[in-house]
Amino acid sequence: MEEKEISLNAVRAFVQVARDNSVTRASKTLGITQSSVSRHIAVLEEYFGEKLIERRGRQSQLTDFGRLFADAVAESLHTILYTAKRMRRNDRAEANRLVVRTSLSTFAYTLLIPNLREFSKEMGGVTVDVISSLSAPTSIDNFDVLLTRDLTLSDLDDHWEFYDEQLVCVGAPDCVAGRGLEALRTTPVLTVTSRPDILPTWLQAMDMKMSDILSGARYDHHFLALPAVTTGQTLLVAPDIVVAGLVRQGLLEVIPGSRTPSGMRYRAYAVDRSHNPDLARAFCRWLTRLCRKMTEEEKANG
């Protein structure tokens, strides 16, 4: 009788469940249905004749046998998947392509993406894919450069600090013209829930309290708040680098005396596992030059 072979897809599904402690989260990470993940687990449990996980509410806890198996195969599985991806991506079609992952969605929308044409031209027509995610990257994620403010990679990855975050208060010109900081007492200030640190940090630097301002509507991200502040009678405290383009276009105006550092720094990581490390480093250097130029121009313009 032929011995039944173990399924690599089933092993991958189990390892992801072990990492996430949840069938639901594992299914989202793998891009398959929860029922498919459950079937994979069932196949492995039938193969071993042992339970691998025990479900407790929404959590999936490993059994002792399951933990032993996960510890034994997780690293080897990562090596197999990474090696396969690297070999597949080293073909001619991918030789002039870069994958940039960022947790800075508004920065990507307002500054990075509009300037990518210049980088592509400088590098002889390179294609840059941009993906956004707020989650911490894993060892098998497929990207070459990480742009982030609060996520970190290992010390082995080359990194550049490309922007020292400066905060400004802005509003539509007809809303703030000639009013100064007193506008905050009568004009609603929008809140960005993905950056709850910004407003308290800025108010402290301005020697003000939340009670000194009029609270306005809430938005998840700055790129959602920007259309509201350009078209309404509201104010917004935001990184100057993400509103600079709208200020230059005359759609927003910076309240004089409202600029202050937040203490946050944006970093670009050229990851060690990149299929094109030289191109990844070139991108990080180009982005650093771009942001330095933008920052100097903003300072020169007051």
Side-chain angles (χ1 to χ4, degrees), residues 39-281:
R39 283 196 297 272
H40 283 314
I41 300 300
V43 166
L44 288 179
E45 289 180 337
E46 181 183 359
Y47 178 87
F48 288 116
E50 295 277 355
K51 293 289 291 182
L52 295 174
I53 64 173
E54 295 176 344
R55 293 177 178 81
R56 298 177 182 175
R58 296 184 177 181
Q59 297 291 313
S60 298
Q61 302 293 330
L62 297 184
T63 64
D64 290 342
F65 186 89
R67 174 57 58 191
L68 182 65
F69 181 59
D71 291 343
V73 302
E75 191 62 34
S76 298
L77 179 65
H78 292 166
T79 300
I80 292 170
L81 295 174
Y82 167 62
T83 301
K85 282 185 177 182
R86 188 180 183 96
M87 293 181 70
R88 177 177 62 85
R89 295 184 64 202
N90 275 340
D91 61 20
R92 185 176 301 175
E94 297 291 335
N96 208 30
R97 196 179 200 100
L98 200 67
V99 179
V100 176
R101 171 171 167 159
T102 181
S103 61
L104 307 168
S105 54
T106 301
F107 170 81
Y109 175 76
T110 59
L111 183 71
L112 173 64
I113 294 173
N115 286 282
L116 282 179
R117 181 180 178 183
E118 292 303 314
F119 175 73
S120 178
K121 182 179 179 181
E122 185 178 316
M123 293 291 111
V126 63
T127 298
V128 181
D129 300 328
V130 180
I131 56 177
S132 65
S133 176
L134 296 177
S135 62
T138 69
S139 60
I140 61 173
D141 285 339
N142 185 11
F143 63 94
D144 304 294
V145 174
L146 174 68
L147 307 181
T148 184
R149 182 188 62 252
D150 45 12
L151 304 177
T152 58
L153 294 183
S154 71
D155 292 337
L156 297 177
D157 296 293
D158 290 341
H159 72 275
W160 289 255
E161 292 185 352
F162 64 87
Y163 174 58
D164 188 358
E165 189 175 68
Q166 302 286 312
L167 303 178
V168 291
C169 185
V170 296
D174 63 347
C175 177
V176 304
R179 299 178 64 195
L181 290 171
E182 65 270 14
L184 288 121
R185 303 185 186 278
T186 56
T187 307
V189 181
L190 303 179
T191 299
V192 176
T193 56
S194 63
R195 286 295 305 274
D197 59 300
I198 279 187
L199 196 52
T201 298
W202 183 81
L203 286 172
Q204 184 177 16
M206 295 293 106
D207 196 24
M208 300 175 68
K209 301 180 178 64
M210 289 295 294
S211 57
D212 294 329
I213 67 172
L214 187 63
S215 295
R218 295 183 176 90
Y219 292 86
D220 281 345
H221 301 284
H222 279 105
F223 68 81
L224 297 175
L226 290 176
V229 73
T230 56
T231 59
Q233 296 294 302
T234 59
L235 301 175
L236 175 67
V237 177
D240 65 348
I241 204 164
V242 305
V243 299
L246 295 172
V247 172
R248 285 194 299 273
Q249 295 172 43
L251 297 175
L252 289 178
E253 186 172 317
V254 177
I255 293 180
S258 69
R259 183 183 302 273
T260 183
S262 72
M264 303 295 288
R265 292 181 175 179
Y266 297 4
R267 293 180 175 86
Y269 291 86
V271 300
D272 287 341
R273 62 178 179 271
S274 169
H275 76 291
N276 199 335
D278 291 337
L279 185 59
R281 294 185 183 95

Side-chain angles (χ1 to χ4, degrees), residues 22-38:
S22 166
V23 169
T24 300
R25 287 195 294 271
S27 68
K28 291 180 179 179
T29 301
L30 296 171
I32 61 178
T33 64
Q34 294 183 46
S35 59
S36 294
V37 174
S38 297

